[in-house]
Amino acid sequence: MLSISKICLYKPFSLSFAGSVKDQTLLQRCNFPATCILREQVPLKNECRVFARMPERTGTGVSTYLRETGTGENGDYARNDLDISHLISVLKFCGGEGCLEFGRTYHGLIAKTGLDGDEFVNTSLIDMYAKCGDIDSAVMVFNQMPRLDVASRNCLISGYANCGLFEEAFRLFMNYESWGNKPNSYTYSSMLAICGTLSAIKEGKQLHAQVVKMQYLSETAVSNALLTMYCKCEAMADAESLFERLPQRNIVSWTAIIHGLYQHEGFEKAMRLFCLMRESGIEPNDYTFTIALASCGNMKNIDNCRLLHGLVIKKGMALGEFVGTALIDMYSELRETDDAEKQFKEMGNLTSKVSRNALIKGLVQNEKANEALDAFSEMVRKDAACDEFTFSPILKACASLPSFMSCQQIHAQVVKANFDKNTHVGSSLIEAYTRCGSVEDAEKVFSRISAPDVVSWNSVIKAYSQNGNPRRAISLFRRMIIKGFRPTGSTFLAVLSACSHSGKIQDGQEIFQSMINEFGVSPEEAHYSCMVDLLGRSGQIEKALDFINNTPIKPTASIWRPLLAACRCHNNLRIAEFAAKHILAMDPNDATVYVTLSNMYIEAGLLENAENQRKLMKLKEITKEPGCSWIEVNNKIHKFFSRDRTHPESEKIYDKLKQIMMLIKGTAYSTNADSLQVKEDFCLYHSEKLAVCFGLISLAAGKPVRIFKNLRVCTDCHMFMKFASMITDRVIILSDNYRFHHFNKGGCSCGDYW
């Protein structure tokens, strides 16, 4: 059998940690008998306090500390003089601060002085090793102990739990009575916590029965552990029933049940119990207030939220990190971003990374992307620390604009902060670059993610799907499955969209069937809509209609709309009228339906019918959303509307447009000379043409021109972009409300199939 001292190798080492020693003793945590507790609080000696405050601890610093405290190799401590309470306090300090090497050094001292047979010291060693993540050493100390008591077993169970070794914890618990001991209240608290973590409701209920049998339910620590376990296992009926029967309730009991109700969206119940808690004479702490504020925010009652805010101010907690951040979250949930920013400013120097992240997240959620970018810039200016919870929402802000330059700048910050391999940040970067039309950058980010998950795969598949590379999207989809990832509804939506954009009807139908039959993913409204688009876009209007009529769900307006668009593309007025009727029955104010029918009537020579559609729109006061395009130049967004002359560079923009039209007029429209004058009158000054001309005169030569439009690009503008890319030798990237078009040397990534 190995000696304990053999796992305590003294060697020079470098440590770096900070923090204060907690007041509670390890002895109390492990349920030592009261007669064995030398004093309630055992402070470290002065030398230990100085050592704990050292910002950098080297081997020399440790050696000096050991020598001055008389505990080093040349120290004069003997077994009889060594203060056991001091040893336990230092080991507790090492466990709390993660100082594994320092703890091992003390273990060597313990072995040298012959204290390795003391059960209290050994229990402290087990706790120290477990908290530092060295569970093997903790088990070795445990196995070498001459006598095992409840405290040592409790420490090892907690150690297993902290290291995620739940099966070993259960095995140790099951062998309790075979060693001649019975579990105590601390044992049951630890085991119930494990059941909650694993959502092991069956085992949790068995432990509940044992708790009742052992008469531990009256101990608040055990009853609170039971409450938390039921809440984590989503057994709220059991949790509420238990709470009602509790003989004693403290702040932890109330907070546990309130938190459980909040997690399961029982916001009104949570607030009702919050009020009852105060009526019973128990005042909320920071954590309780945090949950109450979150519940109140979700109830969307601004008056109650302000009352609760007033109570928080009265208690002097409004500027604390947790409660202050909860107030920011609450006002963001209520869409009261001015109040959220006001709360943030009032926190002043007490603001933290958490509160800054909350403000940015709230601004992004409330579609205030520019304000979120300003808040992020302020963080960077102050050299404030950023993490994945900072980068993910701010990248969503870039995607919502979308702003390619901001995306690149934030990407640089991500790399600087060493988050470029982070799965969540990487997925957000891919999404942002996709929305900016830079699929190459999206692919590079994906290749650097250390452990891509399903979300990462979905993002990169979507990138290729939306940017005109369906083959790559389908290839990645199949590769994802080979690597063992199970596709989700979002995965299938991206792949089906890729098939729809490229006319891959057979692939799309096979993937749709595999979604249901092979992977058991139930199609949603968006999947059915995509399949209608797949069939209708290819000209199979009747099959698309049959598909709609045979869907297991009631067809919505979103499912009928792609059929109407397909009818417009393939001039099927009969089915277009039928689809329009169903859409207007569900969404009578859909301007697109009236405009589409009006245009189809004009093309069919039914001018009276077309005029009726326009009259209906006027009568119902329905207005069509005006076409708007925008481009980012020098970190500024420039917006354009059709025939817009408000831009300061309007004269240059229109001169550039005329110049390009003169160059392409003889080629682009020669096949349809009869409609040239009509096209010039109605399409020449469309917003996307003005935006691209501004980009051509403003951006450096050779730099891609990125245009974004709120509506679908028309045929004339699509043709214009192709010829403009050839004449100017520029890559033009146009994103409409449906997909990206990459124009280069006279061609488009969509293959004229859109």
Side-chain angles (χ1 to χ4, degrees), residues 122 327 393 677:
N122 281 335
L327 282 166
Q677 187 62 47

Side-chain angles (χ1 to χ4, degrees), residues 326-343:
L327 282 166
I328 295 171
D329 282 331
M330 180 187 75
Y331 282 121
S332 298
E333 189 70 31
L334 294 165
R335 305 187 70 82
E336 299 287 339
T337 52
D338 289 343
D339 287 314
E341 290 185 85
K342 181 181 177 183
Q343 169 63 26

